[in-house]
Amino acid sequence: MSATNISNVREVNFDGLVGPTHNYSGLAVGNVASMSHGGLVSNPKEGALQGLAKMKSLMDAGYAQGVLPPQQRPDIGALRDLGFSGSNREVLARAAKEAPQLLRAVCSASSMWTANAGTITPSLDAADGRAHFTPANLQSSFHRYLEPGTTGRVLQAIFRDEQHFAHHPVLPATPAFADEGAANHTRLCGEYGEPGVHLFVYGRQAFGDVHSGAREPKRYPARQTLEASQAVARQHGLTDAQTVFAQQHPDAIDAGVFHNDVIAVGNGPVLLYHEMAFLDEEGTLDELRGKMTTPLIPVRVPLEAVSMEDAVASYLFNSQLLSNPDGTMTLVVPGECQEREAVWRTIQDLLLAGHNPISDVIVKDVKQSMRNGGGPACLRLRVVLTEAERAALSGRVLLNDALYDDLIAWVNRHYRDRLAPDDLADPQLAEESLTALDELTQLLKIGSVYPFQLG
Ligand code: SUG
């Protein structure tokens, strides 16, 4: 392993492109925005352009920005697995007639939320000096369970160099190993190039009664198990000294916090979190303090400042917290934060407070995604990379002005600006989507990552 200059280590945020079938089908149980917007007409073009505008403004501000392609939808292969047969057109028509809920599921553009694509351990924390990847099984919902196969191919296509990158199998797709990826994982450290402690947050425990009397949510499902988090840590070779496993507060899950990144965000030594984030708040902080090699900077937002309803509706904690060269941090929040007075006041208080490095706020409009419960942090997969690893990436996936221009033109060429639930049965949409993605793989130079053809 070559010595790493810690100042050359950067976090690259890989945002998922909003796919051409982006729609509102109300598929995600426990996700208040998705459940309440089901049936609305979506605008895939606007969604994709909003996502690209976020990427561009962060790139322009000097942050390293990557991009990940959407997945092929409708997933006609999944419909065939479920017994629909005939030509692709016939499969779509039969599903629309006999099982519209299945057609909606196989059309979801949910792969845009790349915080759920997988869990990543930077090479700096791995014994073999490679970055480790595990795609998330997303088995808690049918529409997301369809993602990991393609996700794995995309990650392997981009992080292909075996000298630098190691890929692990998806965990068994069964409730005991329910895994939602980086949305429930935070790496805390000093500088990015210094050793990190990995905070894994889970909603329930599947086996045994070690934590007798363990509490679970009553209303909505817990999408991450302790056993899944432990298995990912084990795959990546993380030791006890490098990991903290904390239970998410069940009342938060019942209030609509379906992932930890809806109620907490960490970056470097800073952990910005709501009082209701962890079942054992003090125990979690103490364990982090005990394991980190740099002082933890907890930034606690109490219930009296931001109610659970405000936290879930505004997605304050689904912000991106980004490091600046001068040691300050910038918070990238969704526009909804400005619409809630208590939330906006809290952000101003955070900026003024002397005890944290957060010095700046950027507001981004990602409303098309927000209506399905995906804020700025959901839309990005964080990958901490050394300079050599960045140079070893395959494909054209690091955003620059030329790629941005190409992607804007590509969206404008292929995307619809209106998609109602009934449009999902349109075979033309499937063709348009395939044509668009075919072109995208050439644009991004990632080879063939999609499993099926139309015909
Ligand atoms: O899994 N929404 C996603 C939102 C994921 C947000 N990601 C993070 N918090 N990291 C989900 O609930 C809705 C799709 C629909 O209804 O079509 C959906 O899947």
Side-chain angles (χ1 to χ4, degrees):
M1 201 195 340
S2 57
T4 301
N5 175 350
I6 68 166
S7 63
N8 283 332
V9 179
R10 297 189 75 183
E11 175 182 274
V12 184
N13 281 273
F14 284 85
D15 278 41
L17 276 168
V18 174
T21 62
H22 158 61
N23 72 93
Y24 298 119
S25 286
L27 298 173
V29 180
N31 170 342
V32 177
S34 163
M35 292 193 300
S36 63
H37 292 118
L40 284 190
V41 172
S42 67
N43 184 336
K45 182 181 280 185
E46 185 179 67
L49 295 177
Q50 286 173 346
L52 281 163
K54 168 166 98 73
M55 295 183 225
K56 167 90 161 99
S57 62
L58 297 185
M59 175 190 86
D60 286 343
Y63 304 107
Q65 182 67 56
V67 61
L68 293 176
Q71 300 203 359
Q72 177 59 39
R73 298 290 181 269
D75 186 337
I76 293 175
L79 292 178
R80 289 189 184 282
D81 288 349
L82 294 170
F84 297 97
S85 56
S87 68
N88 286 332
R89 278 174 178 256
E90 284 163 346
V91 166
L92 285 172
R94 284 185 187 146
K97 186 153 167 269
E98 295 167 30
Q101 71 284 12
L102 294 183
L103 178 64
R104 288 195 286 270
V106 305
C107 286
S108 174
S110 52
S111 67
M112 73 174 84
W113 301 297
T114 51
N116 305 117
T119 307
I120 294 147
T121 294
S123 58
L124 303 141
D125 298 338
D128 66 356
R130 296 191 295 169
H132 288 249
F133 297 77
T134 302
N137 61 31
L138 294 172
Q139 67 83 55
S140 294
S141 56
F142 173 57
H143 70 289
R144 303 217 64 182
Y145 155 88
L146 301 173
E147 296 175 39
T150 299
T151 299
R153 281 191 295 278
V154 168
L155 293 176
Q156 295 199 33
I158 295 170
F159 303 94
R160 191 172 357 163
D161 186 337
E162 287 177 15
Q163 199 196 325
H164 291 292
F165 308 119
H167 295 270
H168 298 276
V170 178
L171 299 184
T174 191
F177 294 103
D179 178 21
E180 303 262 326
N184 294 320
H185 168 252
T186 308
R187 175 179 186 257
L188 294 152
C189 57
E191 300 284 324
Y192 289 134
E194 292 179 276
V197 168
H198 297 255
L199 172 61
F200 288 88
V201 181
Y202 63 93
R204 69 185 161 87
Q205 191 179 341
F207 297 124
D209 55 358
V210 192
H211 300 280
S212 54
R215 288 181 51 197
E216 286 190 11
K218 297 188 175 63
R219 194 167 172 218
Y220 293 137
R223 296 200 203 171
Q224 181 89 29
T225 64
L226 170 61
E227 290 79 356
S229 299
Q230 288 170 331
V232 171
R234 208 161 33 233
Q235 285 182 331
H236 295 198
L238 293 171
T239 63
D240 279 352
Q242 294 174 292
T243 49
V244 172
F245 298 94
Q247 187 176 350
Q248 198 180 348
H249 204 301
D251 295 348
I253 296 178
D254 282 339
V257 181
F258 54 97
H259 290 137
N260 176 62
D261 71 2
V262 176
I263 197 146
V265 56
N267 181 55
V270 176
L271 182 61
L272 170 62
Y273 71 99
H274 189 274
E275 154 177 12
M276 292 296 291
F278 310 110
L279 185 56
D280 179 4
E281 179 186 349
E282 268 316 306
T284 303
L285 297 185
D286 282 347
E287 202 179 334
L288 285 171
R289 285 191 187 102
K291 294 183 175 177
M292 285 170 65
T293 52
T294 197
L296 174 73
I297 306 177
V299 184
R300 178 184 200 260
V301 176
L303 249 181
E304 61 189 29
V306 174
S307 67
M308 287 306 289
E309 197 208 326
D310 275 349
V312 171
S314 69
Y315 262 39
L316 162 62
F317 298 92
N318 201 258
S319 46
Q320 291 177 249
L321 194 50
L322 302 171
S323 294
N324 301 319
D326 64 359
T328 63
M329 293 188 192
T330 296
L331 196 64
V332 183
V333 303
E336 284 71 2
C337 287
Q338 281 180 311
E339 291 162 18
R340 304 235 158 196
E341 203 196 321
V343 172
W344 193 240
R345 195 176 339 116
T346 298
I347 293 174
Q348 302 312 314
D349 291 346
L350 286 176
L351 299 183
L352 292 175
H355 65 281
N356 77 68
I358 308 170
S359 66
D360 199 10
V361 64
I362 296 179
V363 181
K364 294 312 296 178
D365 176 5
V366 287
K367 222 180 206 46
Q368 286 290 328
S369 166
M370 282 287 287
R371 290 200 193 106
N372 257 337
C378 301
L379 285 162
R380 62 94 167 92
L381 180 65
R382 312 163 95 172
V383 191
V384 171
L385 296 169
T386 64
E387 195 171 16
E389 290 161 352
R390 293 197 298 280
L393 294 177
S394 301
R396 184 179 172 229
V397 290
L398 291 181
L399 199 68
N400 54 29
D401 284 328
L403 179 58
Y404 172 77
D405 288 345
D406 285 351
L407 290 171
I408 294 284
W410 171 79
V411 169
N412 284 325
R413 239 182 349 263
H414 295 287
Y415 278 53
R416 295 189 184 190
D417 59 10
R418 188 193 145 83
L419 208 52
D422 282 350
D423 297 331
L424 300 177
D426 177 2
Q428 194 59 40
L429 177 69
E431 309 229 358
E432 285 165 23
S433 177
L434 186 70
T435 308
L437 295 198
D438 209 39
E439 208 180 297
L440 183 68
T441 52
Q442 293 167 41
L443 228 152
L444 298 180
K445 302 189 188 341
I446 50 170
S448 85
V449 290
Y450 300 119
F452 23 84
Q453 297 294 316
L454 277 187

